[in-house]
Amino acid sequence: MSKREDIKKTYKLYIGGKFPRTESGRYIKWTDQKQSTQVNICRGSRKDFRNAVVAARSAFSGWCSKTAYNRSQILYRIGEMLEGRRSQFLDELMLQGSSKKVAKKEINQSIHRLIYYAGWADKYQQIFSRVNPVALPYFNFSYPEATGVVSAVAPNDSSLIGLISIVAPIIAGGNTVVVLASEENPLCSITFAEVLHTSDVPGGVVNILTGHRSELLEQFSSHMDVNAIVYCGTEPEEIKLVQENAALNVKRPIIYSDENWLDKNTQDPYRILNTLETKTTWHPVGV
Amino acid sequence: METFIHRIDQVGAQERVSRLFSRSIKKESKIDALHTVLSMIDLTTLEGKDSPGKVKQLCYKAAHLHDQFPNLPSVAAICVYPTMVPIAKKALENTGINVASVATAFPSGMTSLEYKLNEVRMVVADGADEVDMVISRGKFLRGEYTYVADEIASVKEACGKAHLKVILETGELVTLDNVRLASDIAMKAGADFIKTSTGKVSPAATPTVVLVMLEAIRDYYKKTGKKIGMKPAGGISKAKLAIQYFVMIKETLGQDWLHADLFRFGASSLANDVLMQIVKQSTGVYQSANYFSMD
Amino acid sequence: MGKKSKNTDVNPDWSYSPAPESTDHIQINKKNDLFIDGKFIPSKKGNYFETINPANEEKLADVAEADQSDVDKAVKAARTAYDKVWSKMDPAERGKYIYRIARLIQEHAREFSVIESMDGGKPIRESRDIDIPLVSAHFFYYAGWADKLEYAFPGKMAKPIGVAGQIIPWNFPLLMAAWKIAPALATGNTVILKPAETTPLTAMKLAEIIQEADLPPGVVNIINGAGKTGQALVEHPDIDKIAFTGSTAVGKLIMKSVAGKRKRYTLELGGKAANIIFEDAAIDQAVEGIVDGIFFNQGHVCCAGSRLFVQESVAETVISKLKDRMESLIVGDPLDKNTDIGAINSKMQLDKIKMYVDIGQKEGASIHQSSCRLPEKGYWHAPTIFTDVSQSHRIVQEEIFGPVLAIQTFRTVDEVITKANNTPYGLSGGVWTDKGAKIFQVSKAIRSGVLWANTFNKFDPTSPFGGYKESGMGREGGLEGLMPYVNLV
């Protein structure tokens, strides 16, 4: 009897709720440290990014007009789905170089973080809104709204929890997002797309690209229809580029450097607030 | 001209709709409703590519919805473009089915009053039993309500004995306040029926729009004793939705309006879905579209 | 009109065929014991009382009656669970249990809805579409707060209080249980819940869910009984906090009972809400709001819009439309999906409503009822309105808790605000006008804990609910709903 052959997975992009290959047809060879496994990752192009932004923009109005309760349940469902796929992620994290112990911790923390932000989706409004006692006969109230489409450069050093720590607060706030996965450890990011796809997340709300940061950072930071950019990293040149390009359309630049994503202090509602805009409305009080 | 604005709260209206639509219509009441719905359909073809062949086929279908099943009614009317009226008239001889024609530069209405009235006179002369006109939405949205009312009154006059349906094109009016105002204007100006849409603009008939129009008819009836009919058109392809509208009519206007004289469905594919439901109720088995003629 | 079209004769009076909700998939236990320390155990004395279906007066089940010693047992279980397990647990883990309960309720939703309607009399459409979804939403919302309390109260740490005794009424049985249990658990407390004696069954099902969720024993205890059981719970020395929803009379008794002791309490009591319709309101939607306010759930709602104020210029129109609308309300079998108004919860409540209707007529008010036919067996009351009433009438002052509406007219906004506030109650109110400024002015002036503008009887787990004045104190729902269950240090 011959040895059973595996059906090897093709790692594709995740755009608009579908899994297309990069329109450029290019690839990046990824191998694990032991050189035992080789995987071809899509080398995402500027056109892929452009398409992803279109998908994110068209998904935005539906996503932000869902009730907060609905978004909360969907985020919880992502947690449910991730819980069900523990072993798949364990294998991939270990292939990417984690020890079994750390991989387990990362998965637990990832699920926990999703549930954490699920719980914020219908509460951050209550801690970040105000009724303002203006000295005029007006009812004046401020509340936070989603900024729109957010581009995000996920941490390079953390494939699963790093990506989730960026994506969850963005979408909890009603935004849609285009994420560039870790270049060093892309596998879990694409597999996470499969989790999203089975979690009632509407297509286009989260879009995940793989590719070279050096090629795509320009696009992520300069696109005129992106409202905010989240960058994770410490490279001063990259940070400067992001902040300069953000000026083109007054994109909100949000920089996270030096975060230990496994730590509890890398989750809090202010990360949701970072991608929100405050609207203040006045209305007369009288008959 | 009096333009008292009857206010509508959209959220409140949607809630009333949701409650009405949660009614559960089963067994005899469902079968009854399905049969009656069939008799209220205005089978419609309004395409630039319509031809005598197409219209003749549709007319045959109108009188022979599903001959394999006994005791089915025929539809209320066929609705076509003006040039097809003579064809339809001939094809529907001795069937008791009315010929309705759109007129007044349907669907846009963007032409002169003289042209519109000539068109109406022409279709009436060709034998149309019913005329479906469009209001001037541009004028309405500018607040020229007197113009809109006068235009309807002129068309009504040109109709002679034919009955007049006034299409509000609610998708372009957008707000429920506007739908209510347009309904009131149309009824005062002589409409026999008020109709939601041309079917060429989206959204066409929506449940809240239908509710607001039915309530307008109810208030007009209470004030004047006149019963005006209502026709939702466009986007009604499922029997379930038709039955939900049936409930809406019953609880807003009452039994009298559950009749083709006062209510019509402007639809093309609704008939087959209703037929499938009727056969399912009778046989207990879910049906396939393959067994029902599509003309 | 042209040629008459051929038509089948439509049924001369098309009406709705019966549309019964199926009950063959649900399980009601014939015998329901006390749920203490994670197990179902009989009461010490072995006494049971019956719970019936108010729509047909048939017995549904036997329910164990808790006496003093059973209450002691339950409190002890709650205390032990608090000291040894619940207060020590990582808040995020506490949250996970509550999320589980929420999800399990969603899975069992239909069963809960059917039992709620059978035990209490409310229409299946209401329990299915409103009560039960709100129940799981409540647990889901508060589950999320468990590990986020440091953000809820600026400058203060929120610590649990300890053991809470919770007494709930029969008008929204499972929903009231959720309103009590969810925030208490999320903030780290343990509870003993006493459902109303006429509606214990959904709480018993909830106990099964709690077992299915593997909640540590003793964190939630559910015991049944009537006034005496409730009293034993309130007076128990090892209870740190009382939460009560019910009549104002009993609320006052509770306040007296805990005076001088270190027990905290929140009370959600009666109401006699003013529902105000201005001439510039969206009239058809306002009429729907009147109906929502007083006829749905048979008027068994503490925040019911039981006093209608209509601006005189539109009064005739509104009342005429209201009468028409009342005719389309279907009173009947709660398990029929088309029923709008179900059974009155108990004979006692029905007698009380009838007494007030009698008083109203004797006081000289004009009565109008819809022409619905009431079933033979069971407890039923037709939707009723009274006109020609004023603030001095008893039916305008006292809470009837049934489908009975008292209607007054008013001329100016000042007049109606004065009259709306002219009551010892202050739970809720309604304002109907198309003018935004008026909404804000009137809502500012009305002394009630909830104000509905251009709507009525809307509830959400994120929205605080509670009364001013004799309608109670404390809030349930939202961030405010956490406060009654924490010590801020």
Side-chain angles (χ1 to χ4, degrees):
Chain A
M1 210 172 100
S2 42
K3 173 177 158 286
R4 185 196 172 272
E5 289 302 316
D6 290 339
I7 308 288
K8 300 212 179 288
K9 177 150 124 181
T10 305
Y11 282 80
K12 301 202 271 177
L13 308 174
Y14 183 57
I15 299 178
K18 297 197 170 64
F19 290 87
R21 295 177 199 266
T22 164
E23 62 77 44
S24 67
R26 306 170 306 164
Y27 66 93
I28 302 169
K29 245 200 273 239
W30 183 90
T31 46
D32 63 316
Q33 278 164 3
K34 295 201 197 94
Q35 305 272 327
S36 70
T37 309
Q38 180 178 296
V39 170
N40 297 316
I41 304 291
C42 289
R43 186 167 159 190
S45 69
R46 56 167 54 192
K47 284 193 184 157
D48 294 319
F49 178 69
R50 175 201 65 192
N51 294 341
V53 170
V54 168
R57 177 60 65 192
S58 73
F60 173 64
S61 74
W63 182 243
C64 77
S65 54
K66 276 189 188 303
T67 61
Y69 177 40
N70 200 185
R71 279 196 296 276
S72 174
Q73 292 202 300
I74 290 173
L75 273 156
Y76 186 85
R77 182 81 172 153
I78 303 174
E80 275 183 7
M81 294 292 102
L82 183 54
E83 179 85 58
R85 287 183 181 230
R86 298 183 72 93
S87 45
Q88 184 181 17
F89 280 95
L90 195 65
D91 287 343
E92 269 183 356
L93 283 168
M94 284 168 65
L95 188 62
Q96 285 176 172
S98 265
S99 72
K100 192 169 190 180
K101 186 159 169 225
V102 173
K104 265 196 173 149
K105 185 166 182 213
E106 182 162 355
I107 293 170
N108 287 341
Q109 197 65 279
S110 297
I111 296 167
H112 170 79
R113 194 146 293 170
L114 286 161
I115 306 303
Y116 178 79
Y117 282 113
W120 269 124
D122 58 354
K123 295 171 188 64
Y124 70 81
Q125 300 84 338
Q126 295 176 305
I127 61 170
F128 292 137
S129 296
R130 326 248 171 260
V131 170
N132 307 306
V134 295
L136 295 159
Y138 290 89
F139 180 68
N140 177 302
F141 55 103
S142 303
Y143 62 87
E145 296 183 333
T147 191
V149 173
V150 179
S151 65
V153 180
N156 246 333
D157 55 349
S158 165
S159 176
L160 182 61
I161 194 160
L163 186 103
I164 287 173
S165 301
I166 301 303
V167 167
I170 291 174
I171 65 175
N175 303 291
T176 55
V177 64
V178 180
V179 189
L180 178 60
S182 155
E183 200 171 330
E184 285 165 25
N185 303 300
L187 303 186
C188 288
S189 311
I190 292 299
T191 307
F192 185 65
E194 296 165 23
V195 171
L196 291 169
H197 198 57
T198 52
S199 304
D200 297 328
V201 180
V205 172
V206 181
N207 306 275
I208 303 180
L209 308 181
T210 49
H212 292 309
R213 221 184 240 207
S214 55
E215 286 181 356
L216 291 170
L217 192 59
E218 176 71 34
Q219 306 307 319
F220 270 65
S221 56
S222 66
H223 198 298
M224 300 293 276
D225 199 27
V226 167
N227 305 99
I229 173 167
V230 172
Y231 167 90
C232 300
T234 50
E235 289 295 309
E237 287 305 309
E238 289 184 341
I239 293 174
K240 183 151 183 269
L241 177 69
V242 165
Q243 289 170 330
E244 261 174 7
N245 279 347
L248 287 167
N249 67 335
V250 194
K251 216 179 254 91
R252 281 84 168 103
I254 299 150
I255 315 288
Y256 295 129
S257 303
D258 266 337
E259 309 262 16
N260 176 7
W261 298 105
L262 283 172
D263 209 296
K264 256 208 181 131
N265 71 5
T266 52
Q267 65 185 29
D268 67 66
Y270 292 91
R271 291 172 193 264
I272 304 177
L273 187 62
N274 284 341
T275 56
L276 304 177
E277 305 291 327
T278 298
K279 168 177 282 149
T280 301
T281 307
W282 298 59
H283 197 298
V285 179
V287 290
Chain B
M1 131 154 229
E2 181 203 319
T3 50
F4 168 74
I5 294 181
H6 186 104
R7 297 158 221 270
I8 312 286
D9 182 86
Q10 184 199 339
V11 173
Q14 180 56 57
E15 278 177 10
R16 179 78 186 112
V17 165
S18 300
R19 215 169 246 140
L20 285 163
F21 277 22
S22 72
R23 290 288 189 222
S24 178
I25 307 302
K26 303 272 180 241
K27 306 189 190 116
E28 296 82 38
S29 53
K30 182 170 185 177
I31 297 171
D32 265 342
L34 288 169
H35 278 254
T36 309
V37 165
L38 280 179
S39 73
M40 288 169 155
I41 294 177
D42 283 357
L43 216 48
T44 305
T45 182
L46 292 168
E47 298 184 329
K49 57 184 177 167
D50 282 342
S51 67
K54 163 85 196 223
V55 171
K56 281 186 202 157
Q57 284 170 321
L58 195 67
C59 288
Y60 190 81
K61 168 86 177 178
H64 299 267
L65 283 173
H66 192 61
D67 285 343
Q68 299 93 309
F69 198 89
N71 294 328
L72 289 177
S74 44
V75 302
I78 288 283
C79 188
V80 291
Y81 269 116
T83 43
M84 295 291 128
V85 170
I87 312 276
K89 202 74 188 146
K90 185 122 195 350
L92 291 175
E93 255 173 351
N94 301 319
T95 59
I97 299 172
N98 282 0
V99 175
S101 174
V102 297
T104 68
F106 176 101
S108 73
M110 298 295 271
T111 184
S112 70
L113 180 61
E114 187 190 334
Y115 175 89
K116 293 186 204 184
L117 295 177
N118 281 337
E119 197 183 21
V120 172
R121 291 183 198 114
M122 180 186 84
V123 306
V124 171
D126 279 344
D129 305 294
E130 308 173 1
V131 174
D132 289 22
M133 73 168 282
V134 291
I135 66 168
S136 297
R137 283 87 73 195
K139 294 281 187 188
F140 180 90
L141 292 170
R142 279 173 56 91
E144 297 186 42
Y145 305 125
T146 309
Y147 182 96
V148 172
D150 287 345
E151 191 175 51
I152 294 169
S154 303
V155 170
K156 172 72 178 160
E157 205 186 330
C159 280
K161 286 211 296 254
H163 100 170
L164 176 63
K165 298 196 199 82
V166 177
I167 302 174
L168 308 180
E169 196 65 308
T170 54
E172 289 180 347
L173 301 183
V174 181
T175 68
L176 295 175
D177 286 336
N178 277 349
V179 170
R180 174 63 193 235
L181 180 56
S183 302
D184 288 339
I185 290 173
M187 289 189 289
K188 278 214 203 86
D192 297 302
F193 258 65
I194 49 176
K195 176 174 166 183
T196 58
S197 350
T198 60
K200 304 298 176 193
V201 161
S202 183
T206 63
T208 41
V209 158
V210 174
L211 178 69
V212 168
M213 289 171 73
L214 292 176
E215 287 178 347
I217 291 172
R218 179 192 60 193
D219 289 352
Y220 189 72
Y221 171 64
K222 284 266 155 97
K223 217 163 78 168
T224 66
K226 264 192 86 182
K227 288 182 188 165
I228 308 290
M230 200 262 162
K231 175 174 171 177
I236 308 170
S237 59
K238 292 288 175 214
K240 181 166 175 152
L241 181 59
I243 293 179
Q244 286 174 318
Y245 280 132
F246 223 68
V247 169
M248 196 187 273
I249 302 165
K250 162 88 178 178
E251 295 201 23
T252 310
L253 289 169
Q255 189 66 34
D256 287 351
W257 270 262
L258 291 176
H259 192 284
D261 287 349
L262 288 172
F263 197 88
R264 299 284 179 84
F265 289 100
S268 32
S269 46
L270 175 63
N272 272 5
D273 197 60
V274 173
L275 290 169
M276 292 207 314
Q277 300 311 311
I278 289 176
V279 176
K280 188 253 169 191
Q281 287 292 117
S282 154
T283 61
V285 173
Y286 289 107
Q287 298 298 304
S288 150
N290 287 334
Y291 298 84
F292 300 85
S293 63
M294 296 196 225
D295 279 293
Chain C
M1 197 193 136
K3 236 182 353 215
K4 218 176 181 71
S5 42
K6 194 172 83 172
N7 188 6
T8 50
D9 282 331
V10 68
N11 183 345
D13 190 12
W14 185 67
S15 59
Y16 310 145
S17 304
E21 177 71 43
S22 80
T23 54
D24 54 10
H25 61 100
I26 64 146
Q27 288 251 27
I28 295 183
N29 299 327
K30 290 295 159 202
K31 208 146 157 263
N32 294 272
D33 285 328
L34 308 173
F35 183 66
I36 297 178
D37 210 24
K39 294 186 290 291
F40 289 94
I41 55 173
S43 67
K44 182 133 185 271
K45 287 217 181 84
N47 289 340
Y48 290 86
F49 62 93
E50 286 181 1
T51 184
I52 62 161
N53 182 339
N56 53 25
E57 300 176 55
E58 283 169 18
K59 170 171 153 176
L60 289 171
D62 287 310
V63 182
E65 182 175 23
D67 72 352
Q68 183 69 57
S69 62
D70 301 307
V71 171
D72 285 337
K73 206 180 205 161
V75 175
K76 206 180 242 137
R79 175 63 61 193
T80 308
Y82 175 76
D83 286 338
K84 297 215 160 34
V85 179
W86 200 240
S87 63
K88 292 191 158 63
M89 193 182 279
D90 183 307
E93 298 304 300
R94 283 204 288 262
K96 282 188 189 168
Y97 282 110
I98 308 171
Y99 273 122
R100 255 188 220 168
I101 294 172
R103 297 299 261 183
L104 284 168
I105 290 170
Q106 284 179 305
E107 288 172 7
H108 290 248
R110 190 54 57 93
E111 186 177 38
F112 272 115
S113 310
V114 171
I115 296 176
E116 192 80 297
S117 286
M118 290 175 79
D119 201 19
K122 72 170 67 200
I124 182 70
R125 192 193 62 213
E126 300 297 304
S127 53
R128 179 197 69 199
D129 292 348
I130 296 177
D131 286 54
I132 304 311
L134 275 175
V135 169
S136 56
H138 236 90
F139 279 104
F140 201 89
Y141 174 76
Y142 278 108
W145 270 121
D147 60 347
K148 302 176 175 63
L149 293 173
E150 69 252 41
Y151 295 96
F153 305 104
K156 294 278 186 186
M157 286 233 295
K159 299 262 169 241
I161 301 180
V163 175
Q166 307 178 316
I167 298 167
I168 57 176
W170 44 262
N171 58 347
F172 294 91
L174 192 63
L175 184 57
M176 293 297 100
W179 279 27
K180 297 282 181 282
I181 298 176
L185 258 48
T187 43
N189 305 281
T190 57
V191 313
I192 304 107
L193 179 85
K194 190 204 83 65
E197 60 267 32
T198 58
T199 54
L201 295 183
T202 43
M204 290 284 94
K205 273 289 156 188
L206 182 62
E208 288 178 22
I209 296 285
I210 283 168
Q211 277 184 326
E212 205 178 324
D214 241 339
L215 191 68
V219 173
V220 173
N221 306 277
I222 303 180
I223 59 175
N224 287 297
K228 275 179 68 186
T229 312
Q231 190 177 1
L233 190 57
V234 167
E235 291 174 356
H236 199 289
D238 199 26
I239 295 258
D240 302 302
K241 142 125 203 152
I242 300 288
F244 171 77
T245 298
S247 69
T248 295
V250 175
K252 289 179 177 176
L253 289 174
I254 292 175
M255 282 184 73
K256 282 209 270 256
S257 147
V258 305
K261 316 213 165 81
R262 288 182 62 212
K263 273 185 203 155
R264 289 178 49 182
Y265 57 88
T266 43
L267 306 169
E268 210 267 275
L269 309 175
K272 192 77 185 183
N275 200 357
I276 304 169
I277 300 186
F278 286 94
E279 62 190 348
D280 54 2
I283 297 291
D284 291 310
Q285 284 72 52
V287 168
E288 203 53 31
I290 299 172
V291 167
D292 264 341
I294 188 60
F295 297 133
F296 284 103
N297 209 41
Q298 301 75 253
H300 303 323
V301 191
C302 40
C303 49
S306 45
R307 286 185 295 153
L308 177 64
F309 288 94
V310 193
Q311 196 149 23
E312 196 159 326
S313 45
V314 290
E316 207 181 304
T317 308
V318 169
I319 294 173
S320 155
K321 280 176 186 265
L322 177 59
K323 287 179 178 170
D324 286 343
R325 178 70 178 96
M326 281 164 72
E327 286 302 311
S328 64
L329 290 173
I330 298 175
V331 181
D333 179 9
L335 285 180
D336 189 304
K337 292 183 242 191
N338 289 320
T339 294
D340 294 314
I341 297 180
I344 303 298
N345 186 256
S346 66
K347 177 123 195 1
M348 200 172 77
Q349 189 58 32
L350 180 59
D351 288 341
K352 184 166 176 226
I353 298 167
K354 284 184 169 161
M355 177 190 83
Y356 274 110
V357 170
D358 219 41
I359 288 172
Q361 291 177 284
K362 290 212 175 70
E363 289 184 304
S366 307
I367 187 174
H368 173 88
Q369 295 185 314
S370 75
S371 66
C372 58
R373 239 186 41 224
L374 301 177
E376 285 293 313
K377 286 208 89 194
Y379 313 128
W380 310 93
H381 199 282
T384 304
I385 60 174
F386 279 104
T387 47
D388 299 315
V389 299
S390 67
Q391 289 286 96
S392 331
H393 281 82
R394 277 187 69 189
I395 57 169
V396 174
Q397 290 178 352
E398 298 172 35
E399 188 182 34
I400 300 175
F401 223 67
V404 179
L405 177 67
I407 304 178
Q408 298 176 69
T409 58
F410 70 93
R411 285 125 295 272
T412 69
V413 62
D414 289 338
E415 178 195 347
V416 74
I417 288 173
T418 306
K419 288 187 172 163
N421 287 333
N422 175 225
T423 164
Y425 292 113
L427 185 50
S428 62
V431 179
W432 297 82
T433 166
D434 224 26
K435 190 168 183 184
K438 199 186 292 185
I439 290 174
F440 291 120
Q441 175 78 312
V442 174
S443 64
K444 215 163 70 130
I446 302 279
R447 306 290 297 162
S448 67
V450 180
L451 206 297
W452 285 298
N454 292 320
T455 189
F456 211 91
N457 275 344
K458 291 286 171 291
F459 306 99
D460 190 272
T462 64
S463 181
F465 182 90
Y468 285 28
K469 306 191 281 186
E470 291 196 15
S471 290
M473 55 175 105
R475 295 291 175 268
E476 296 180 283
L479 199 158
E480 281 67 15
L482 295 166
M483 257 181 161
Y485 289 99
V486 297
N487 282 323
L488 295 177
V489 302

